[in-house]
């Protein structure tokens, strides 16, 4: 018998779901937990705050010096400055080690030294991205592609055959048996959140695969995607005292309220000084790069790299790529968007569970039918005839 299109899609949906369900559950539930990490940390970690002062911040060189004293033998990688009432912090990220030192940006006082490898939200983030496994990022990437296919196939399976079936597709029958409720929860909640989950999945693939980023950029009218990284010139060394501090002051001094800066320290002889600016509310759409020569502290203007442009002057394709993180987390719509992404992740985590229960229930039902086979038509007729046949008298 020839299988219909919908049955083929159903078989595909089942096989892909069983093969990727556990990974989808872990990635979705960790994404759900991580959605409000900034808000939770701000509420529970008082060392992130300082008393605002009418004074200038200490420059990066001094904060790095104080932080390296607290973590003897380690070299700093980045320095973060946020708003006036928040602590600055210095990041140490090298050779598998990951530490953060929080400091008072006005006095340089060390407020907290934290091993980020033992931090709850850092573990959740790495579990989300890599499952904490070797080659885990590849497993997550492939499972995300599978989940995208499942979302599309799920819409096909959900689509009602006729008008009479539409009402059933939009509502959960709460007074039904648990198997029916489970079936409705899988279908109805899956349908409502699919439209959010599609964006979350696509933006996740942009993070995972360069070809996906290039494809989105090209489809948005940006043409060929190319990232250009400027370099410092070791041969043109001009004696400049504290070039990192000078580069940071050039950018940070003109920042509007609500914006912070991050300094990436050079790690090679040709690397530039990176000074990044962005909003401090946890969104990164307006993240902007500023490059400086590490020897002369002179600005390197490279128009080929679009992240050097202000967000308002970026093209549509450039804006979409720069908004990718905020779309992924829902931060593009503020708190309401994060809440929506939270519930979408929660529903996505439930789909492998409810889907598995549907499959298990159907297998159990088939097993029960095989255990109690029905009589065939001929056997039923013969049994009926034998009941009606009169008994013969015995010969005397």
């Amino acid at each position: 018998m020839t299988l219909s299109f919908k049955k083929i899609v159903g078989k595909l949906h089942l096989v892909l779901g069983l093969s990727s369900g556990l990974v989808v559950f872990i990635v979705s539930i960790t994404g759900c937990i991580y959605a409000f990490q900034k808000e939770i940390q701000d509420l529970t970690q008082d060392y992130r705050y300082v008393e605002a002062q009418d004074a200038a911040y200490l420059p990066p060189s001094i904060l790095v010096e104080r932080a390296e004293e607290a973590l003897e033998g380690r070299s700093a990688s980045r320095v973060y400055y946020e708003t006036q009432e928040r602590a600055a912090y210095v990041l140490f990220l090298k050779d598998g080690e990951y530490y953060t030192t929080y400091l008072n940006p006005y006095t340089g006082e060390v407020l907290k030294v934290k091993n980020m490898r033992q931090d709850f939200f850092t573990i959740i983030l790495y579990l989300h991205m890599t499952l904490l496994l070797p080659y885990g990022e590849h497993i997550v990437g492939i499972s995300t592609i599978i989940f995208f296919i499942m979302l599309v196939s799920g819409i096909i399976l959900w689509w009602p055959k006729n008008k009479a079936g539409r009402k059933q597709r939009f509502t959960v029958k709460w007074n039904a048996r648990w198997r029916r409720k489970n079936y409705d929860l899988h279908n109805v909640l899956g349908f409502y959140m699919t439209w959010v989950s599609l964006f979350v999945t696509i933006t996740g693939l942009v993070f995972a695969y360069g070809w996906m980023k290039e494809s989105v950029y090209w489809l948005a009218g940006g043409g060929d995607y190319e990232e250009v990284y400027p370099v410092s010139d070791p041969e043109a060394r001009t004696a400049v005292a504290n070039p990192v501090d000078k580069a940071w002051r050039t950018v940070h001094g003109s920042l509007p309220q609500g914006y912070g800066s991050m300094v990436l320290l050079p790690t090679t002889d040709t690397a530039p000084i990176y000074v990044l600016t962005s909003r401090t509310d946890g969104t990164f759409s307006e993240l902007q790069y500023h490059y400086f020569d590490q020897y002369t502290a002179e600005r390197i203007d490279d128009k080929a790299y679009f992240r050097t442009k202000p967000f308002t002057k970026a093209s549509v394709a450039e804006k979409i790529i720069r908004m990718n993180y905020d779309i992924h987390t829902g931060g593009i719509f503020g708190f309401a968007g994060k809440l929506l992404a939270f519930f979408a992740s929660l529903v996505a985590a439930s789909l492998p569970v409810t889907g598995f229960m549907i499959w298990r229930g159907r297998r159990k039902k088939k097993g029960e039918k095989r255990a109690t086979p029905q009589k065939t038509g001929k056997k039923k007729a013969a049994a009926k005839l034998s009941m009606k046949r009169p008994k013969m008298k015995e010969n005397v």
Side-chain angles (χ1 to χ4, degrees):
M1 187 179 73
T2 307
L3 289 173
S4 68
F5 173 69
K6 220 165 187 179
K7 283 187 177 179
I8 294 170
V9 172
K11 293 280 186 184
L12 178 68
H13 192 81
L14 173 63
V15 172
L16 293 179
L18 291 174
S19 63
S20 66
L22 181 60
V23 178
V24 169
F25 175 80
I26 293 171
V27 171
S28 299
I29 205 70
T30 50
C32 189
I33 294 168
Y34 199 77
F36 293 103
Q37 56 88 20
K38 185 180 187 301
E39 289 79 1
I40 294 169
Q41 287 178 327
D42 286 348
L43 285 172
T44 58
Q45 300 172 355
D46 57 358
Y47 51 81
R48 290 174 174 269
Y49 293 92
V50 296
E51 186 177 344
Q53 298 181 24
D54 188 17
Y57 289 152
L58 293 174
S61 61
I62 294 179
L63 295 186
V64 166
E65 183 183 347
R66 302 284 172 83
E68 288 182 343
E69 286 174 4
L71 280 167
E72 189 177 345
R74 294 177 176 86
S75 299
S77 303
R78 304 177 184 182
V79 185
Y80 293 79
Y81 291 87
E82 296 197 329
T83 54
Q84 289 182 313
E85 69 281 356
R86 297 180 71 94
Y89 52 102
V90 178
L91 203 69
F92 296 78
L93 187 59
K94 190 177 180 182
D95 299 329
E97 291 189 322
Y98 186 9
Y99 287 89
T100 299
T101 304
Y102 293 86
L103 305 102
N104 187 316
Y106 304 103
T107 65
E109 177 192 359
V110 175
L111 305 173
K112 178 79 174 179
V113 177
K114 194 170 184 179
N115 183 350
M116 300 304 290
R117 293 290 181 190
Q118 299 172 1
D119 177 69
F120 173 75
F121 282 109
T122 301
I123 294 169
I124 290 295
L125 179 61
Y126 277 89
L127 190 60
H128 182 75
M129 296 190 301
T130 68
L131 305 175
L132 300 178
L133 295 173
Y135 308 105
E137 65 274 17
H138 300 299
I139 299 171
V140 171
I142 293 166
S143 297
T144 305
I145 293 172
I146 291 173
F147 186 60
F148 176 81
I149 297 169
M150 290 188 65
L151 289 173
V152 176
S153 61
I155 293 171
I156 294 169
L157 294 172
W158 172 92
W159 204 266
K161 292 180 180 179
N162 48 50
K163 290 181 180 180
R166 286 180 188 173
K167 187 178 179 182
Q168 178 190 334
R169 293 291 193 269
F170 286 102
T171 56
V172 177
K173 196 172 182 181
W174 295 108
N175 59 349
R177 296 176 65 184
W178 75 267
R179 279 186 183 176
R180 174 58 189 273
K181 279 188 285 191
N182 180 69
Y183 179 83
D184 284 352
L185 286 170
H186 186 81
N187 283 275
V188 176
L189 293 183
F191 170 75
Y192 284 127
M193 283 303 174
T194 287
W195 311 103
V196 180
S197 297
L198 280 170
F199 285 101
V200 174
T201 304
I202 291 168
T203 51
L205 290 172
V206 169
F207 284 126
Y209 297 108
W211 59 262
M212 188 65 181
K213 182 191 287 186
E214 292 166 8
S215 300
V216 170
Y217 187 77
W218 184 83
L219 287 169
D224 294 333
Y225 181 87
E226 185 180 7
E227 293 199 28
V228 179
Y229 297 92
V231 296
S232 297
D233 184 5
E235 301 300 323
R237 299 189 182 186
T238 304
V240 174
N242 297 320
V244 172
D245 292 353
K246 185 177 180 182
W248 170 75
R249 285 194 181 97
T250 302
V251 175
H252 191 88
S254 59
L255 283 179
Q257 192 172 4
Y259 283 74
S261 60
M262 175 175 69
V263 182
L264 274 66
L265 305 175
T267 54
T268 66
D269 290 342
T270 58
I273 300 166
Y274 291 72
V275 182
L276 284 63
T277 60
S278 67
R279 298 181 64 88
T280 57
D281 59 1
T283 59
F284 294 93
S285 299
E286 297 181 39
L287 181 68
Q288 186 176 350
Y289 283 58
H290 306 265
Y291 299 113
F292 296 85
D293 188 283
Q294 67 167 291
Y295 304 106
T296 64
E298 293 177 359
R299 187 185 287 272
I300 303 171
D301 289 320
D302 198 326
K303 304 299 182 185
Y305 189 43
F306 67 77
R307 292 185 194 272
T308 59
K309 299 177 186 176
F311 184 76
T312 53
K313 294 183 179 179
S315 69
V316 172
E318 291 167 353
K319 285 179 179 177
I320 288 173
I321 296 299
R322 289 169 72 165
M323 290 190 297
N324 192 71
Y325 178 84
D326 294 338
I327 296 170
H328 187 70
T329 61
I332 191 171
F333 298 119
F335 185 82
K338 284 188 175 184
L339 203 61
L340 190 62
F342 171 85
F343 282 113
S345 297
L346 194 61
V347 171
S350 76
L351 293 178
V353 179
T354 54
F356 178 80
M357 289 170 71
I358 291 169
W359 171 76
R360 186 68 183 272
R362 285 175 179 171
R363 284 199 66 186
K364 192 175 179 183
K365 197 173 180 181
K366 285 179 182 177
E368 288 171 355
K369 283 183 178 180
R370 290 194 195 101
T372 56
Q374 299 294 321
K375 292 180 179 179
T376 62
K378 286 184 179 179
K379 286 183 179 178
K380 284 182 182 178
K384 215 169 189 180
L385 189 61
S386 65
M387 288 174 68
K388 290 181 178 180
R389 187 177 298 158
K391 292 183 179 178
M392 301 297 290
K393 288 183 181 180
E394 295 181 15
N395 293 326
V396 180

